[in-house]
Amino acid sequence: MLQTTDITSIEELKTQIKRLNSKAGQMKMDLHDLAEGLPINYEHLIAAATETYEIYRQIDQLKQQLKQLEQNA
């Protein structure tokens, strides 16, 4: 049986994922633009790639949490 706390958690996770997906899309475009401009601004490449990797890692973890909550609901 689905409890109110489960619904809240599921909705909160969906909201977080949606927000992070939007940010990740922008970061992906920024990384792409940076890569296209190489070798100009090459010194920013590692930081941009690391930040982009981290946000996609967070999205993956949140999706896994959401899947578990939905399976247990």
Side-chain angles (χ1 to χ4, degrees):
M1 176 177 258
L2 201 62
Q3 296 179 357
T4 305
T5 55
D6 291 337
I7 294 171
T8 302
S9 297
I10 289 172
E11 292 306 315
E12 287 173 358
L13 281 174
K14 286 181 179 179
T15 300
Q16 286 180 318
I17 291 168
K18 190 174 187 177
R19 182 181 53 81
L20 286 176
N21 271 327
S22 177
K23 185 176 179 181
Q26 181 60 51
M27 292 172 70
K28 182 172 69 171
M29 288 189 303
D30 292 347
L31 185 59
H32 178 266
D33 291 345
L34 181 60
E36 281 189 337
L38 289 173
I40 299 168
N41 292 324
Y42 74 90
E43 63 275 1
H44 300 287
L45 186 59
I46 292 176
T50 301
E51 190 176 354
T52 303
Y53 169 85
E54 185 58 33
I55 198 162
Y56 278 99
R57 187 187 66 75
Q58 288 176 16
I59 291 168
D60 185 52
Q61 287 180 337
L62 290 174
K63 285 182 177 181
Q64 289 176 26
Q65 290 176 17
L66 178 61
K67 186 177 178 179
Q68 285 182 336
L69 277 177
E70 289 176 335
Q71 287 176 349
N72 293 335

